[in-house]
Amino acid sequence: MPDITSSMFWIAVLQIIAIDIMLGGDNAVVIALACRKLPAEQRKKGIFWGVVGAIGLRVVMIFFALQLLAVPYLKIVGGLLLFWIGIKLMLPEHDDEHGNIDGGTTLMAAIKTIVVADAVMSLDNVIAVAGASHGSMVLVTFGILVSIPIVVWGSKLVLTLMDRFPIVITLGAGLLGWIGGGMLLTDLATPSAISKDLPYAHYIFAVSGALLVVLAGKLIASRRTPRAAVELPASGAPD
């Protein structure tokens, strides 16, 4: 049982909430699309039960992820995945990403769509939260419960902030790199001598992970932007 009076507990909770906000913005879009064909009086029910089902499934997925992270080398794999997720977060998104979300015409169909779509889209979230929780289901559950209203009702505000202030995206990506770097150090396969003999080993790994994600993300994004600028005029040129 973690000590809720500890500053480490609340830092971990804030990390989980930040992860849910950064990686859970799509959930509100999925919910809206899944419930758009429902009658007005059923939409609230669809949103409520869809969110309940999706969150319940996510907690179960995170529970199994926590068990798996106790196996040697899997934290290393999880850390590397977090690096990629953070880099991907910094890359431009496509507008048609949610085009395959089908709106249900019945309440059960809408709930099923929300739960299934959330399970498919939440792999990155599950890995990140499992890494930030340091093996504590109490932290996982508390962090997710606190972040529910933020994700569902505050996602539009968060998305607006991300559009206006790109630094928010950079900070979120850096957070994932920070957690990923820490996971590399705490894997059972990592020699314990590194953490014992290297001063401030955790901070060195965490900061290195954050810098790697941010710098790699900016580099890849800068290479993609000029290419898109060149291709656009070419596609519209007359034959």
Side-chain angles (χ1 to χ4, degrees):
M1 182 74 181
D3 181 10
I4 63 172
T5 61
S6 165
S7 61
M8 295 301 294
F9 175 88
W10 292 106
I11 289 172
V13 168
L14 290 175
Q15 286 182 338
I16 291 172
I17 292 172
I19 289 165
D20 279 329
I21 292 171
M22 296 298 300
L23 300 181
D26 284 350
N27 294 54
V29 179
V30 169
I31 291 168
L33 290 173
C35 296
R36 70 185 185 275
K37 294 180 182 178
L38 291 178
E41 65 274 9
Q42 288 192 342
R43 284 182 183 173
K44 286 185 179 179
K45 290 181 181 178
I47 291 171
F48 176 78
W49 290 112
V51 170
V52 168
I55 287 166
L57 183 61
R58 187 180 297 185
V59 170
V60 172
M61 290 169 65
I62 293 173
F63 172 77
F64 284 107
L66 289 175
Q67 308 309 309
L68 288 173
L69 289 179
V71 178
Y73 295 105
L74 281 180
K75 275 192 178 181
I76 293 175
V77 173
L80 295 176
L81 279 173
L82 281 185
F83 289 162
W84 169 239
I85 293 164
I87 291 170
K88 203 167 126 185
L89 187 66
M90 298 186 65
L91 302 182
E93 294 182 354
H94 298 290
D95 293 334
D96 58 352
E97 283 183 349
H98 302 103
N100 58 349
I101 301 296
D102 208 3
T105 55
T106 67
L107 182 60
M108 286 307 299
I111 293 171
K112 179 183 173 185
T113 298
I114 293 170
V115 173
V116 172
D118 187 85
V120 172
M121 294 165 55
S122 293
L123 181 60
D124 54 357
N125 191 293
V126 167
I127 294 170
V129 170
S133 66
H134 306 292
S136 170
M137 274 304 294
V138 175
L139 268 173
V140 168
T141 307
F142 186 77
I144 289 178
L145 288 175
V146 171
S147 65
I148 292 170
I150 300 173
V151 171
V152 175
W153 291 290
S155 59
K156 286 187 178 179
L157 173 60
V158 174
L159 291 172
T160 301
L161 288 174
M162 290 164 109
D163 288 337
R164 283 194 183 177
F165 307 104
I167 187 66
V168 175
I169 299 175
T170 303
L171 290 173
L175 172 62
L176 295 178
W178 177 285
I179 295 169
M183 287 175 70
L184 297 183
L185 180 65
T186 56
D187 190 277
L188 293 177
T190 303
S192 58
I194 294 178
S195 57
K196 289 179 180 176
D197 299 339
L198 183 65
Y200 307 105
H202 175 77
Y203 291 104
I204 291 173
F205 272 69
V207 171
S208 299
L211 289 174
L212 172 66
V213 167
V214 171
L215 294 176
K218 285 185 178 294
L219 179 63
I220 296 172
S222 66
R223 287 185 175 181
R224 284 191 177 186
T225 304
R227 185 182 302 174
V230 170
E231 288 175 355
L232 281 175
S235 62
D239 294 332

